[in-house]
Amino acid sequence: MERFEGYVFTALCSTNLLVSCLLLSTVTREQREPYMDEVFHVPQAQKYCQGRFSEWDPMITTLPGLYLVSVGVIKPLVWLAGLRGGVVCSTAMLRFVNLLFNGGNLYLLYLLTCKLHLREKSKSASRRVLSALSLSTFPVLYFFNFLYYTDAGSTFFILFAYLMTLYGCHKASALLGVCAVLFRQTNVVWVAFCAGTLLAGQLDEAWRTDGAKKRDERASPVPLSLAGARRVTRFLLDFLVSPPRAKALLLVAWPYAAAGAGFLAFVALNGGIVVGDRSSHEACLNAPQLFYFLSFALVFSLPATLCRHRLLRFLQALRRKPLLFLLLTAAGLLLVWNFTHVHKYLLADNRHYTFYAWQRVVQRHPLARYLLVPAYVFAGWHFLDALRSRSLFWTLALLVCVLAATVPQRLLEFRYFIVPYLVFRLHMPLPSLPRLLLELALHAAVNAATLYLFLARPFLWPGSEDTQRFMW
């Protein structure tokens, strides 16, 4: 980091912390008591603060990573400050822990941007700094910095683990991945992604080597056809059954394999991935979840990606391979028809934006869910086109992990899209300065709107005196 860029980024981090503290103060004044899932998280963290580590609320479904980190952060702070009484591990103090994660996420996003876009190092430092700021204010993630939820910490450890993978520190990466799993069990998918990037790197090298041996100058790009798919499949099988290559991969990736084995042991002993109440978190084959994520990624990445040239490329692809797009549309229709699952919370809880998105878009008409399929196809093409600078095998690793992270989920919950979206956005080509400013403006507008609705538009349920608020 150059000296001037360092000064700018330090000032940005300080400003970010100040603004976040002011917003946290506003949120806490308006909503002093635990809200939504905080009703379970806050009392459990307070038990840990009191040293009662053997007590557990059976309604909590995640592992205790958030509470352990909170105690590890808060206890030294209150000891240094000489605090006593109810302020220790209060709701406000526990929420403040997520502000620390917010600052960490901003720093990690900056480091990841620099690492992933080394070829653009000579370009303006403002683009790197602005990209990190824009991603750290990603609306779904940013909103939960002000509540005691697992999202900020979960994202922090996943980003940290991936950064260590990029720097070749695989033992540290696997350990950080275990910390991420302690925040949310499904983060094991992103630990696998870190290992998958290693596999993809070796596959890329082997692909180039094999192509050089065959004196095939066109060995790297793979045609989008059945012949191309057969070629890649045959290459993957040859690679995986090759003892020298498998041994070389295992020598590097064994920390991730150890973390995966530990997770499988936990699942076997626990009788499943979910701890506590499992009735509302049953896995299923909900294929349209992938479509919802692709649409979500399309909407939030529009300022950075949408242009006339991309639309022209889509029309050209449509004209060149109409049969392929027809088959994809038909497959999408079949998946929507046979594998759409609707969680009871999605239909009943009108505090979440997903309730209104489902009710006013998907359920607007019996045919609405099918009419959306062409839009899903475009969103999928856009996702792949935005990553076309990445290698085939890396893209395949990401797609497998996105499928594993989304499809088994019965509940449509935008929080589940945070990590896959950030990974997608980080690996896109670094947008121009005007596009970054537009993206940041979009994030700021959405954040302002969601915080305003949460703070200034409370409402009551019939027959209940508890204040309800709109949220992601």
Side-chain angles (χ1 to χ4, degrees):
M1 185 189 304
E2 296 180 1
R3 181 172 296 181
F4 176 73
E5 189 174 348
Y7 291 151
V8 171
F9 188 72
T10 301
L12 175 64
C13 290
S14 301
T15 305
N16 175 69
L17 181 60
L18 175 61
V19 172
S20 297
C21 286
L22 292 173
L23 289 173
L24 176 64
S25 175
T26 303
V27 170
T28 302
R29 280 199 305 270
E30 293 295 326
Q31 182 63 47
R32 295 185 179 277
E33 298 301 317
Y35 183 69
M36 287 289 287
D37 288 2
E38 286 186 320
V39 171
F40 308 111
H41 293 312
V42 169
Q44 185 63 50
Q46 290 171 341
K47 291 176 184 177
Y48 275 39
C49 280
Q50 296 164 10
R52 294 149 55 192
F53 294 99
S54 60
E55 298 183 24
W56 184 260
D57 186 341
M59 294 300 293
I60 295 175
T61 59
T62 54
L63 292 168
L66 176 62
Y67 320 128
L68 293 172
V69 170
S70 298
V71 173
V73 169
I74 291 174
K75 282 292 187 177
L77 286 178
V78 298
W79 179 76
L80 288 172
L83 300 176
R84 296 285 189 276
V87 71
V88 179
C89 285
S90 62
T91 302
M93 184 69 78
L94 291 169
R95 288 172 178 170
F96 179 74
V97 172
N98 276 344
L99 287 197
L100 301 180
F101 281 127
N102 171 48
N105 285 330
L106 173 58
Y107 187 52
L108 289 171
L109 288 165
Y110 173 77
L111 294 178
L112 284 165
T113 300
C114 292
K115 182 66 176 175
L116 290 168
H117 301 283
L118 285 173
R119 294 178 181 177
E120 300 178 69
K121 193 72 174 176
S122 60
K123 296 187 179 180
S124 173
S126 59
R127 291 172 61 194
R128 296 190 292 273
V129 173
L130 200 58
S131 183
L133 176 63
S134 179
L135 290 177
S136 72
T137 58
F138 176 55
V140 185
L141 174 62
Y142 194 72
F143 179 87
F144 287 101
N145 289 329
F146 308 108
L147 296 175
Y148 192 58
Y149 274 59
T150 60
D151 300 275
S154 169
T155 303
F156 172 83
F157 282 107
I158 287 297
L159 294 177
F160 203 171
Y162 186 46
L163 181 67
M164 291 297 99
T165 298
L166 295 178
Y167 276 100
C169 304
H170 302 299
K171 295 177 185 177
S173 176
L175 182 60
L176 290 163
V178 171
C179 294
V181 171
L182 290 175
F183 274 71
R184 185 175 291 164
Q185 293 91 303
T186 52
N187 282 336
V188 71
V189 171
W190 301 106
V191 179
F193 172 71
C194 292
T197 58
L198 289 181
L199 174 60
Q202 294 203 7
L203 286 169
D204 290 333
E205 186 174 348
W207 182 269
R208 288 191 295 269
T209 303
D210 289 356
K213 288 179 180 178
K214 297 174 182 177
R215 300 182 180 277
D216 185 359
E217 295 180 358
R218 295 175 298 173
S220 185
V222 181
L224 186 61
S225 62
L226 288 176
R230 285 196 299 268
R231 181 180 169 190
V232 171
T233 303
R234 187 165 56 250
F235 171 78
L236 284 172
L237 291 175
D238 291 342
F239 183 93
L240 294 174
V241 299
S242 170
R245 286 171 168 172
K247 180 181 178 181
L249 177 64
L250 189 59
L251 286 174
V252 179
W254 71 263
Y256 305 107
F263 182 78
L264 291 176
F266 156 74
V267 172
L269 292 172
N270 186 55
I273 293 179
V274 178
V275 298
D277 179 33
R278 301 178 184 178
S279 60
S280 300
H281 295 82
E282 297 175 350
C284 66
L285 191 60
N286 191 6
Q289 282 277 31
L290 174 64
F291 304 151
Y292 308 149
F293 166 71
L294 293 173
S295 304
F296 176 91
L298 172 64
V299 170
F300 277 102
S301 65
L302 279 181
T305 60
L306 188 63
C307 62
R308 185 173 62 89
H309 298 296
R310 178 162 275 120
L311 293 176
L312 288 175
R313 277 203 304 273
F314 175 72
L315 293 175
Q316 290 168 359
L318 201 61
R319 188 168 55 250
R320 285 198 307 268
K321 297 184 180 293
L323 183 59
L324 174 63
F325 282 94
L326 281 174
L327 289 174
L328 289 173
T329 303
L333 289 169
L334 286 173
L335 290 172
V336 169
W337 180 33
N338 289 306
F339 295 100
T340 296
H341 296 272
V342 186
H343 199 285
K344 59 184 179 181
Y345 290 169
L346 181 61
L347 299 175
D349 196 338
N350 66 344
R351 293 170 293 184
H352 292 285
Y353 299 137
T354 49
F355 171 88
Y356 301 96
W358 187 266
Q359 185 184 64
R360 298 178 183 180
V361 179
V362 181
Q363 278 194 327
R364 190 176 186 87
H365 187 276
L367 294 178
R369 66 180 63 184
Y370 303 106
L371 295 175
L372 289 169
V373 170
Y376 298 153
V377 172
F378 173 72
W381 177 89
H382 167 270
F383 184 86
L384 294 175
D385 187 69
L387 297 173
R388 61 196 177 101
S389 61
R390 300 293 163 180
S391 73
L392 169 69
F393 299 110
W394 184 92
T395 304
L396 286 175
L398 176 61
L399 287 175
V400 169
C401 291
V402 169
L403 282 168
T406 57
V407 170
Q409 303 282 357
R410 181 182 293 270
L411 178 62
L412 173 57
E413 175 72 79
F414 289 146
R415 292 188 298 136
Y416 302 155
F417 298 161
I418 292 173
V419 173
Y421 178 78
L422 289 178
V423 172
F424 163 67
R425 173 60 181 76
L426 279 166
H427 286 86
M428 285 167 37
L430 200 59
S432 64
L433 193 59
R435 288 185 174 276
L436 285 170
L437 289 170
L438 184 60
E439 182 184 52
L440 184 60
L442 172 66
H443 291 179
V446 174
N447 285 329
T450 51
L451 286 170
Y452 171 78
L453 288 173
F454 182 82
L455 297 171
R457 288 291 183 266
F459 62 98
L460 296 175
W461 279 345
S464 174
E465 296 182 356
D466 296 332
T467 300
Q468 310 301 332
R469 299 181 185 275
F470 296 107
M471 62 187 297
W472 284 105

